[in-house]
Amino acid sequence: MAASADGGRDIAFMRAALAQAQLARAADEVPVGAVLTLGAEIIAAGSNAPIATHDPTAHAEIRALRAAGAALGSYRLADTTLYVTLEPCLMCAAALVHARVRRLVFGAWDPRLGAAGSTLDVFALPGLNHRVDVFGGVLMEECGRLLQEFFAARRG
């Protein structure tokens, strides 16, 4: 996993993803947030909402992809970058490939379900018709701390 080439911009957009994660936390959802950018503009955002929506696919990444598709009028999200506070799961990683997202930037690693290098690397599978550039660890401590505090509070 290479270091991010857009350090300052990546940090700013990851902070926007953290704001989305705070919305999920306020709704008593696992605090994961995402924003999708096109150039220097945020075109869509999402926060985790599987509990409230009764939808197991309502992960922050999927919600951001759906909003971007509606905003752009296409399921192909070429030249976009997704910023997400937690390494994507298998479902979300595959959705990024299908959507043709150009870059993925994530905060905390997910050693149990992460599919961008932790448990497996969907983006390195041979035979895929699209490659996503992946950068992990942006604001890793801040993103990880938000998740740790959430789960610590739930365990009481």
Side-chain angles (χ1 to χ4, degrees):
M1 181 103 18
S4 175
D6 277 338
R9 182 181 283 187
D10 287 351
I11 288 170
F13 287 133
M14 187 60 73
R15 292 208 184 283
L18 276 163
Q20 290 295 312
Q22 291 288 4
L23 294 175
R25 179 180 175 180
D28 207 28
E29 299 274 358
V30 175
V32 178
V35 296
L36 191 79
T37 64
L38 183 58
E41 180 182 352
I42 294 174
I43 59 170
S47 57
N48 260 10
I51 297 166
T53 62
H54 309 289
D55 178 359
T57 69
H59 291 194
E61 301 95 321
I62 300 297
R63 296 183 78 209
L65 292 176
R66 287 176 179 158
L72 297 177
S74 177
Y75 73 96
R76 298 253 171 125
L77 305 175
D79 298 321
T80 60
T81 299
L82 182 79
Y83 295 86
V84 62
T85 57
L86 181 65
E87 179 184 3
C89 70
L90 178 60
M91 172 186 69
C92 293
L96 294 173
V97 172
H98 286 292
R100 311 297 197 276
V101 169
R102 183 176 57 87
R103 281 179 84 227
L104 163 66
V105 179
F106 67 87
W109 294 87
D110 186 348
R112 291 187 303 162
L113 296 172
S118 286
T119 60
L120 67 131
D121 189 352
V122 166
F123 305 105
L125 292 173
L128 294 179
N129 62 347
H130 176 73
R131 294 285 171 211
V132 177
D133 294 330
V134 179
F135 305 94
V138 175
L139 297 181
M140 177 174 57
E141 291 82 14
E142 198 170 334
C143 293
R145 187 170 42 256
L146 182 61
L147 288 158
Q148 289 169 350
E149 289 169 357
F150 175 80
F151 286 113
R154 291 181 72 94
R155 284 187 223 109

